[in-house]
Amino acid sequence: QVQLVESGGGLVQAGGSLRLSCAASGRTFSRYAMGWFRQAPGKEREFVAVISWSGGSTYYADSVKGRFTISRDNAKNAVYLQMNSLKPEDTAVYYCAVRRGTYSSIDADEYDYWGQGTQVTVSS
């Protein structure tokens, strides 16, 4: 059974940093794109970042570009999201997701596996 487990969320002051981790189990995801999405209260889930299966290509939402960095370790079946210069508007539940296929989509509907989410709260 495929399982994605996020960790690393928490409460941080504006300007601070957090590093989210997502551990995948149940199969090998080294050939699949992996992404991070987030959902704030009362809002729809939105794309944050995606990384190609090799890690050689990344893409970010404009709102986080230059502040967040996505990376992966295929040997550990894991994906990470380093978040710097956090803002109150980054407050949300963050989800990692895996898309079966090598295409790095920003569309949540194209992802096949999802974690349970980890809460990130940024205070002003």
Side-chain angles (χ1 to χ4, degrees):
Q1 180 157 345
V2 173
Q3 188 174 21
L4 302 176
V5 179
E6 300 97 335
S7 61
L11 173 64
V12 64
Q13 289 188 333
S17 299
L18 284 174
R19 185 177 188 246
L20 305 184
S21 299
C22 175
S25 62
R27 67 178 303 160
T28 299
F29 295 102
S30 59
R31 289 289 182 175
Y32 296 160
M34 301 182 79
W36 286 95
F37 294 77
R38 66 187 182 186
Q39 187 167 18
K43 296 186 177 181
E44 293 187 353
R45 189 170 299 189
E46 66 173 359
F47 165 77
V48 175
V50 62
I51 188 166
S52 63
W53 68 271
S54 67
S57 176
T58 58
Y59 186 75
Y60 300 90
D62 287 343
S63 59
V64 307
K65 200 173 297 182
R67 300 187 297 122
F68 292 10
T69 302
I70 188 171
S71 61
R72 66 188 294 165
D73 185 338
N74 285 341
K76 296 182 178 179
N77 240 12
V79 64
Y80 309 98
L81 187 68
Q82 177 67 42
M83 305 186 295
N84 299 329
S85 302
L86 283 161
K87 304 175 181 180
E89 50 264 44
D90 293 319
T91 295
V93 177
Y94 283 71
Y95 300 89
C96 72
V98 174
R99 183 182 183 278
R100 289 181 297 181
T102 57
Y103 176 66
S104 300
S105 174
I106 66 171
D107 185 347
D109 290 337
E110 296 189 2
Y111 282 75
D112 302 287
Y113 305 110
W114 291 85
Q116 83 290 345
T118 185
Q119 177 70 46
V120 171
T121 304
V122 185
S123 62
S124 57

